[in-house]
Short mmCIF file of all heavy atoms in Angstrom, two decimals:
data_model
loop_
_atom_site.label_atom_id
_atom_site.label_comp_id
_atom_site.label_asym_id
_atom_site.label_seq_id
_atom_site.Cartn_x
_atom_site.Cartn_y
_atom_site.Cartn_z
N ALA A 1547 -92.03 36.51 114.63
CA ALA A 1547 -91.27 35.50 115.36
C ALA A 1547 -90.67 34.46 114.41
O ALA A 1547 -91.35 33.95 113.52
CB ALA A 1547 -92.16 34.81 116.40
N ASN A 1548 -89.38 34.16 114.63
CA ASN A 1548 -88.64 33.11 113.91
C ASN A 1548 -88.48 33.35 112.41
O ASN A 1548 -88.05 32.46 111.68
CB ASN A 1548 -89.30 31.73 114.12
CG ASN A 1548 -89.39 31.35 115.57
OD1 ASN A 1548 -88.55 31.74 116.38
ND2 ASN A 1548 -90.43 30.59 115.93
N GLN A 1549 -88.83 34.54 111.94
CA GLN A 1549 -88.70 34.84 110.51
C GLN A 1549 -87.61 35.88 110.22
O GLN A 1549 -87.24 36.09 109.08
CB GLN A 1549 -90.03 35.35 109.96
CG GLN A 1549 -91.16 34.33 110.04
CD GLN A 1549 -90.85 33.08 109.23
OE1 GLN A 1549 -90.41 33.15 108.09
NE2 GLN A 1549 -91.04 31.94 109.85
N CYS A 1550 -87.14 36.51 111.26
CA CYS A 1550 -86.05 37.48 111.13
C CYS A 1550 -84.75 36.75 111.45
O CYS A 1550 -84.41 36.54 112.62
CB CYS A 1550 -86.27 38.66 112.09
SG CYS A 1550 -84.90 39.85 112.12
N PHE A 1551 -84.04 36.32 110.42
CA PHE A 1551 -82.82 35.54 110.67
C PHE A 1551 -81.82 35.71 109.54
O PHE A 1551 -82.18 36.00 108.39
CB PHE A 1551 -83.15 34.06 110.85
CG PHE A 1551 -83.74 33.42 109.61
CD1 PHE A 1551 -82.93 32.85 108.64
CD2 PHE A 1551 -85.11 33.41 109.42
CE1 PHE A 1551 -83.47 32.29 107.51
CE2 PHE A 1551 -85.67 32.84 108.28
CZ PHE A 1551 -84.85 32.27 107.32
N TRP A 1552 -80.55 35.56 109.88
CA TRP A 1552 -79.46 35.58 108.90
C TRP A 1552 -78.33 34.73 109.45
O TRP A 1552 -78.08 34.74 110.66
CB TRP A 1552 -78.98 37.00 108.65
CG TRP A 1552 -77.97 37.11 107.52
CD1 TRP A 1552 -78.23 37.30 106.20
CD2 TRP A 1552 -76.55 36.99 107.63
NE1 TRP A 1552 -77.07 37.32 105.48
CE2 TRP A 1552 -76.00 37.12 106.33
CE3 TRP A 1552 -75.67 36.78 108.69
CZ2 TRP A 1552 -74.64 37.06 106.07
CZ3 TRP A 1552 -74.30 36.71 108.44
CH2 TRP A 1552 -73.81 36.86 107.14
N THR A 1553 -77.66 34.00 108.57
CA THR A 1553 -76.54 33.16 109.00
C THR A 1553 -75.34 33.40 108.08
O THR A 1553 -75.50 33.85 106.94
CB THR A 1553 -76.90 31.66 108.96
OG1 THR A 1553 -76.89 31.21 107.59
CG2 THR A 1553 -78.25 31.40 109.60
N PRO A 1554 -74.13 33.09 108.54
CA PRO A 1554 -72.94 33.22 107.68
C PRO A 1554 -72.98 32.33 106.45
O PRO A 1554 -72.18 32.53 105.53
CB PRO A 1554 -71.80 32.81 108.63
CG PRO A 1554 -72.30 33.17 109.99
CD PRO A 1554 -73.76 32.81 109.94
N TRP A 1555 -73.87 31.36 106.41
CA TRP A 1555 -73.97 30.50 105.22
C TRP A 1555 -74.77 31.19 104.11
O TRP A 1555 -74.94 30.63 103.03
CB TRP A 1555 -74.60 29.16 105.61
CG TRP A 1555 -73.81 28.49 106.68
CD1 TRP A 1555 -72.57 27.91 106.54
CD2 TRP A 1555 -74.16 28.35 108.06
NE1 TRP A 1555 -72.15 27.42 107.76
CE2 TRP A 1555 -73.09 27.68 108.71
CE3 TRP A 1555 -75.27 28.73 108.81
CZ2 TRP A 1555 -73.11 27.37 110.06
CZ3 TRP A 1555 -75.30 28.43 110.17
CH2 TRP A 1555 -74.22 27.76 110.79
N ASP A 1556 -75.24 32.41 104.38
CA ASP A 1556 -75.99 33.17 103.39
C ASP A 1556 -75.11 34.15 102.61
O ASP A 1556 -75.62 34.93 101.81
CB ASP A 1556 -77.14 33.94 104.05
CG ASP A 1556 -78.17 33.01 104.69
OD1 ASP A 1556 -78.40 31.93 104.11
OD2 ASP A 1556 -78.74 33.36 105.73
N VAL A 1557 -73.79 34.14 102.86
CA VAL A 1557 -72.92 35.08 102.15
C VAL A 1557 -72.86 34.70 100.67
O VAL A 1557 -73.01 33.53 100.30
CB VAL A 1557 -71.50 35.11 102.75
CG1 VAL A 1557 -71.54 35.59 104.19
CG2 VAL A 1557 -70.82 33.75 102.64
N THR A 1558 -72.62 35.68 99.80
CA THR A 1558 -72.56 35.44 98.35
C THR A 1558 -71.40 36.22 97.75
O THR A 1558 -70.84 37.13 98.38
CB THR A 1558 -73.86 35.87 97.65
OG1 THR A 1558 -74.08 37.27 97.87
CG2 THR A 1558 -75.05 35.09 98.18
N ASN A 1559 -71.07 35.86 96.52
CA ASN A 1559 -70.07 36.60 95.73
C ASN A 1559 -68.77 36.79 96.50
O ASN A 1559 -68.22 37.89 96.57
CB ASN A 1559 -70.64 37.96 95.31
CG ASN A 1559 -69.79 38.64 94.25
OD1 ASN A 1559 -69.15 37.97 93.44
ND2 ASN A 1559 -69.77 39.97 94.26
N CYS A 1560 -68.25 35.71 97.05
CA CYS A 1560 -67.00 35.79 97.82
C CYS A 1560 -65.79 35.83 96.89
O CYS A 1560 -65.74 35.11 95.89
CB CYS A 1560 -66.89 34.60 98.77
SG CYS A 1560 -68.15 34.59 100.07
#
Side-chain angles (χ1 to χ4, degrees):
N1548 302 330
Q1549 297 299 313
C1550 175
F1551 64 89
W1552 187 90
T1553 76
W1555 302 289
D1556 296 325
V1557 298
T1558 60
N1559 193 30
C1560 294

